[in-house]
Amino acid sequence: MRSLKNIKLKRLYVNYFKLGSNFDYLLEAIEEGDMKSLLEIYAKSSASTQQQTTKLVSFLHKMPLLHVLDIAYNKAEAGKSIPILANNLNQCKALQALCLNDMEAPSHDMELLAQNLPSQLTGLDITGNVMSDTVASHLMVTLPRQLTRLYINVDNLSKSKHNELLHSVHSKLTCLQKLYVKGSPYPGDLVKHGGLALTSCPHLYWLELIPSCDDFIPEDCVATFMKGMQQARSIKSLYLDGVHLDMRSFQELTRLSQLKCLDELGFSRRLLPEGVQSEELDDFVTLY
């Protein structure tokens, strides 16, 4: 770490390495301007303290060329890490991908982040932090239209805000290629909006929907999803972990998946319709 000033580092990958005091050397190098050439930083679960995470995001202006910032699985310092990051994002003119999943940031902190998303982002992962109706309201305004990858959790949302947010996603973000929505307490609405995304986002090739309960999906919501599957142009990977379908709907889903030449259809083993034997499923069907 002490020799970073002697090289023009472009990419730093320290995912899952608990650096301990070495993380402080990294912070020192950034603060002293030795990381000006850095384009990508991948530091999943590498900070040993919340304070180290806060210091890292406070030095973003020292990395003016940064394209990718991935600090997932580092627990945020409540009231500091994410707010400081949010306030510094306007200086990150080159930033394209922001991965902040599973930092356990509280709602108020996520509100500040949602208000300050860089308009040039193409990738955003904020799962594993507290989502609220207020956060969702801000996201509906600030999510950049050119996003190609979006990972969000929608737990804790009211039904109306849940549907407003998901409607905003598939109606506004028509460049999406990967969409991950986790923790929905409204499985029918989740599946319906997933189908609408398949219709509205012609480049969508990867879709994962995870409800937080396994209620049966109503027929009208299933019909919207199947229509989306019929119209989808690019879908290759579809994961429905926790989505509960009846036999007819499951059979139609597998038929359409074959028709679309999916590489993989992920489904919950425990929610297979009665009478479906896992060993009889096609090779592209993966059971969780």
Side-chain angles (χ1 to χ4, degrees):
M1 290 290 182
R2 297 181 185 277
S3 61
L4 287 174
K5 65 182 178 181
N6 299 320
I7 59 175
K8 290 185 177 181
L9 194 65
K10 301 290 186 181
R11 183 174 183 267
L12 179 65
Y13 187 98
V14 290
N15 283 348
Y16 307 109
F17 287 97
K18 285 299 184 183
L19 296 176
S21 61
N22 285 322
F23 201 96
D24 294 322
Y25 295 138
L26 170 62
L27 294 172
E28 181 180 335
I30 296 174
E31 185 178 16
E32 292 181 355
D34 297 338
M35 308 288 276
K36 290 180 179 179
S37 60
L38 199 63
L39 300 179
E40 302 176 2
I41 181 167
Y42 298 91
K44 282 185 171 74
S45 190
S46 60
S48 297
T49 67
Q50 298 172 38
Q51 290 74 24
Q52 287 179 332
T53 302
T54 299
K55 285 184 179 180
L56 175 61
V57 298
S58 69
F59 296 149
L60 286 183
H61 62 288
K62 298 286 188 174
M63 299 175 284
L65 303 180
L66 199 64
H67 291 173
V68 177
L69 177 64
D70 185 346
I71 53 173
Y73 300 103
N74 293 294
K75 188 173 181 181
E77 187 177 6
K80 293 186 178 181
S81 299
I82 298 300
I84 289 174
L85 170 65
N87 289 331
N88 285 339
L89 283 174
N90 63 349
Q91 301 180 60
C92 302
K93 305 300 184 182
L95 192 65
Q96 297 176 4
L98 185 58
C99 301
L100 307 173
N101 55 292
D102 295 277
M103 295 186 69
E104 302 178 29
S107 174
H108 182 264
D109 293 3
M110 294 304 294
E111 290 173 23
L112 294 174
L113 176 73
Q115 292 178 73
N116 291 279
L117 290 179
S119 60
Q120 76 277 3
L121 279 184
T122 59
L124 178 65
D125 185 347
I126 53 173
T127 57
N129 300 292
V130 178
M131 174 67 76
S132 68
D133 282 4
T134 304
V135 175
S137 294
H138 291 310
L139 289 175
M140 285 186 278
V141 176
T142 61
L143 283 174
R145 290 184 177 273
Q146 73 275 12
L147 275 179
T148 60
R149 188 180 79 255
L150 176 63
Y151 291 40
I152 55 173
N153 53 279
V154 292
D155 48 339
N156 300 321
L157 295 185
S158 65
K159 185 177 178 68
S160 60
K161 196 61 65 176
H162 171 276
N163 290 335
E164 288 175 31
L165 175 59
L166 294 186
H167 178 269
S168 177
V169 167
H170 61 68
S171 61
K172 177 181 175 182
L173 310 181
T174 55
C175 294
L176 278 177
Q177 298 175 18
K178 298 183 72 173
L179 176 61
Y180 173 93
V181 184
K182 180 181 179 180
S184 172
Y186 316 106
D189 292 333
L190 176 67
V191 169
K192 178 183 70 176
H193 286 289
L196 293 171
L198 287 167
T199 301
S200 303
C201 306
H203 307 292
L204 191 66
Y205 71 86
W206 192 93
L207 175 63
E208 182 161 0
L209 306 175
I210 306 178
S212 59
C213 61
D214 55 10
D215 297 344
F216 265 113
I217 308 301
E219 288 186 9
D220 60 326
C221 299
V222 172
T224 299
F225 187 82
M226 297 304 177
K227 182 178 179 181
M229 282 292 290
Q230 292 169 351
Q231 297 180 1
R233 302 181 192 178
S234 305
I235 192 67
K236 288 300 178 184
S237 298
L238 176 63
Y239 305 94
L240 302 175
D241 187 8
V243 172
H244 201 173
L245 301 175
D246 60 24
M247 175 66 86
R248 185 177 66 177
S249 299
F250 181 79
Q251 290 175 334
E252 176 65 4
L253 177 63
T254 54
R255 185 188 72 82
L256 288 172
S257 298
Q258 288 177 318
L259 187 65
K260 294 293 179 178
C261 299
L262 259 65
D263 295 328
E264 188 167 24
L265 170 63
F267 206 77
S268 300
R269 185 184 301 275
R270 63 185 177 84
L271 297 180
L272 282 177
E274 187 175 353
V276 174
Q277 302 298 319
S278 58
E279 61 271 14
E280 297 175 356
L281 295 175
D282 294 289
D283 290 340
F284 68 88
V285 180
T286 298
L287 298 178
Y288 300 108

